[in-house]
Amino acid sequence: MCHPMDIVHAEVRRTTNLDGRPCAEVEVVTGDAGAANLLVYFAEAPDGGIEMVRVTENDADREIDWYDNPLHQAAVDRTDAFMNVARDGGSFGEQVLQFGSVREDVRRVLGSVE
């Protein structure tokens, strides 16, 4: 079960297309030492804002994932688990956007994708 967690680091890594939508990929490190890093994807919302569209666990390990390893799934979709997570700072997506300059960086990289 997924519980709200503290974000200790978040930064925009790149832009990518998910289901035909330009998205900003944000790597999120949480305070849970045993948890994998998360990749959180944001896209422009119809109202002009930013919406979280996907969350995956990024458990990739260069030692074992440089080849096709059927016994290790490096990216696991956790969108459903995080979509309704909220704390005092708002939704999980809002917490990520509020970390450092993430919101401005997401807007900048999405604005440069045409």
Side-chain angles (χ1 to χ4, degrees):
M1 193 69 200
C2 182
H3 300 288
M5 55 194 74
D6 293 327
I7 296 170
V8 296
H9 184 75
E11 71 176 292
V12 174
R13 289 175 37 150
R14 63 185 181 129
T15 58
T16 188
N17 276 344
L18 293 180
D19 302 323
R21 289 178 82 183
C23 292
E25 179 184 87
V26 179
E27 184 172 27
V28 176
V29 179
T30 66
D32 183 350
N37 289 353
L38 300 171
L39 294 178
V40 183
Y41 297 89
F42 293 95
E44 286 190 26
D47 65 4
I50 300 171
E51 64 182 346
M52 182 176 79
V53 295
R54 187 175 299 167
V55 179
T56 60
E57 283 184 355
N58 183 22
D59 195 22
D61 182 334
R62 287 192 179 100
E63 295 293 314
I64 60 175
D65 291 318
W66 60 272
Y67 65 98
D68 186 17
N69 181 352
L71 301 177
H72 185 248
Q73 190 173 3
V76 180
D77 191 325
R78 296 286 186 233
T79 307
D80 290 344
F82 283 92
M83 201 53 82
N84 297 316
V85 171
R87 334 172 35 161
D88 295 340
S91 69
F92 179 73
E94 189 58 33
Q95 292 173 51
V96 173
L97 289 171
Q98 290 174 5
F99 190 91
S101 64
V102 170
R103 183 182 309 274
E104 294 78 19
D105 294 344
V106 166
R107 285 197 184 283
R108 180 178 46 75
V109 300
L110 288 178
S112 66
V113 177
E114 294 299 328

